[in-house]
Amino acid sequence: MDLHMINRRLLIVVAVILIAGCSDDKTTGPEMSDIAAPLVVKVVYPYGPMSKCGNYFAGQAAEYISAATDYLEVFDPPDMAGCVSAGIRADDSVSYSWEIVDITVTMDRKETSAGYHWWIFYDGTDGDIIYNDCKIIEAEQAADESEGWMELYTDFSGNDTTHWEWTKNDDGDITMNMNWFDNDLNTYELEAVFRSGGDGYAQHSRNGTPVWKVTWIKSGSESSGEWFDYISQPNISGTWTY
């Protein structure tokens, strides 16, 4: 249902990202010493065990979180030193572009004393879909990584379809909130906490009402956790392991 809708929104963008790994286009351009990506696309959690353990809720949690981490590669394009640079834009951001089949991907990245800002644009044709310098992703993060946000634009209306916010505390724990909506104006939220020790949890809500929650902890080669189903009456819960 709502996960299917998210997957449809992500499909086009992720497909282009995957193709990027096969691009052989090599040109020259200036190098950037540290191509940082937003924290939300770099969070660590046991995706494999959660998706393979056979538990429905653990699998759902793994897929929902991956809606952010799937974008890691678009912030770290292939052969960064070989990407064409469009130079310095009016807002002092550095612009890089690279070709993926019939699409030109442009990443603008601006660094200030306060932090980083990213813009990702697509221009070109992918099958029946025409991109006309469409903004696909925008993100911002504080210089100390203490907070940030990212927005995904896939309906080409200029309005974001998925929004992430995150904070990082002094212990290195990351709290992420992901929000989206469907065509019936139902609103959805995923709250996830990634603790520096490797454990964490994810809770999914619909219109402000909790639907399920999954916890995880990694011990050696084994991952395990609990799951809670808040929709069933009475509520049920259990454990998962892999």
Side-chain angles (χ1 to χ4, degrees), residues 221-241:
S221 61
E222 183 177 272
S223 296
S224 60
E226 297 179 281
W227 58 268
F228 305 85
D229 177 3
Y230 299 126
I231 296 299
S232 297
Q233 296 298 326
N235 297 163
I236 57 176
S237 62
T239 60
W240 66 271
T241 186

Side-chain angles (χ1 to χ4, degrees), residues 16-191:
V16 173
I17 295 171
L18 292 176
I19 295 172
C22 303
S23 176
D24 292 324
D25 184 63
K26 298 289 187 294
T27 50
T28 57
E31 296 184 14
M32 295 179 71
S33 58
D34 179 22
I35 304 299
L39 259 183
V40 73
V41 301
K42 299 191 293 182
V43 293
V44 177
Y45 68 106
Y47 173 83
M50 290 170 68
S51 61
K52 296 176 182 177
C53 69
N55 177 259
Y56 170 79
F57 299 102
Q60 288 279 290
E63 294 305 321
Y64 274 74
I65 296 171
S66 74
T69 59
D70 279 345
Y71 293 104
L72 175 59
E73 290 189 30
V74 83
F75 288 94
D76 186 18
D79 191 16
M80 193 64 206
C83 292
V84 173
S85 172
I88 304 298
R89 298 206 173 195
D91 59 1
D92 293 330
S93 63
V94 177
S95 179
Y96 288 86
S97 63
W98 61 99
E99 301 295 330
I100 302 174
V101 190
D102 296 322
I103 294 177
T104 298
V105 180
T106 299
M107 179 180 73
D108 293 348
R109 181 174 179 268
K110 183 176 182 178
E111 180 178 352
T112 68
S113 59
Y116 304 90
H117 202 113
W118 296 264
W119 299 264
I120 307 291
F121 298 88
Y122 286 178
D123 190 72
T125 303
D126 180 21
D128 295 332
I129 302 173
I130 299 175
Y131 299 97
N132 185 16
D133 200 24
C134 293
K135 180 170 66 174
I136 300 296
I137 297 175
E138 184 174 0
E140 186 172 275
Q141 182 168 279
D144 62 0
E145 296 189 328
S146 61
E147 61 181 351
W149 57 264
M150 184 170 79
E151 293 179 342
L152 172 68
Y153 304 85
T154 52
D155 63 357
F156 309 137
S157 67
N159 299 314
D160 65 293
T161 54
T162 310
H163 179 84
W164 294 264
E165 291 184 0
W166 63 91
T167 58
K168 181 180 179 181
N169 64 21
D170 292 340
D171 294 325
D173 303 334
I174 300 171
T175 299
M176 176 189 82
N177 285 279
M178 170 183 171
N179 297 273
W180 68 100
F181 57 90
D182 63 19
N183 293 333
D184 296 322
L185 300 183
N186 292 303
T187 59
Y188 302 90
E189 178 182 7
L190 182 76
E191 178 186 83

